[in-house]
Amino acid sequence: MVIAYWFVAGLLAVLYLYSGGMKLVRSAEQLRPMMAWVDGMPLSVVRVIGLLEVLGVVGLILPPLVGVLTGLTVAAAVGLVLVQIGGITLHLRRGEIRVLGLNVALLVLAAVEVWLATIWL
């Protein structure tokens, strides 16, 4: 279970650090080619989503690594599940069915991470 946890956490970390980092540092014009939905909401909301993604990664990695406040790991994984539910809802409302695959995959991985964190930690 430990290996599975770290494998899934590493995969989520790479994906969310990239995605969240882009949302934090790039302008709306730079994000638009990859994320057309940024036109439909204020840039401050996009930045908050990016921050939540990066904080989710920190919550998945740091507490189990140092062995302190490991309950935050479950909360971080649940938070990433909620981020994906929001993303799926947004894409469905915009009629962007073809981009849902990545959101669903990340939702499943985050849900698996919730399960792994509850049985391992």
Side-chain angles (χ1 to χ4, degrees):
M1 288 300 167
V2 174
I3 294 171
Y5 175 85
W6 285 111
F7 178 79
V8 175
L11 188 58
L12 288 171
V14 168
L15 294 167
Y16 279 115
L17 282 177
Y18 177 72
S19 173
M22 283 194 324
K23 290 173 186 132
L24 285 173
V25 300
R26 291 192 177 180
S27 67
E29 292 77 29
Q30 292 171 316
L31 291 172
R32 191 172 299 117
M34 294 179 290
M35 303 173 197
W37 57 269
V38 299
D39 287 336
M41 60 183 52
L43 188 58
S44 60
V45 173
V46 176
R47 300 266 191 248
V48 167
I49 293 168
L51 181 63
L52 291 173
E53 290 176 351
V54 171
L55 288 175
V57 169
V58 171
L60 290 180
I61 303 296
L62 199 54
L65 192 62
V66 297
V68 177
L69 297 172
T70 54
L72 290 178
T73 302
V74 175
V78 168
L80 292 176
V81 166
L82 294 174
V83 165
Q84 285 311 309
I85 289 171
I88 290 169
T89 303
L90 174 76
H91 290 305
L92 286 173
R93 285 185 182 166
R94 291 176 50 90
E96 301 169 338
I97 304 301
R98 64 180 180 86
V99 299
L100 287 178
L102 179 60
N103 291 98
V104 171
L106 289 171
L107 174 67
V108 169
L109 282 174
V112 166
E113 197 70 351
V114 170
W115 176 71
L116 287 169
T118 56
I119 62 169
W120 174 51
L121 298 173

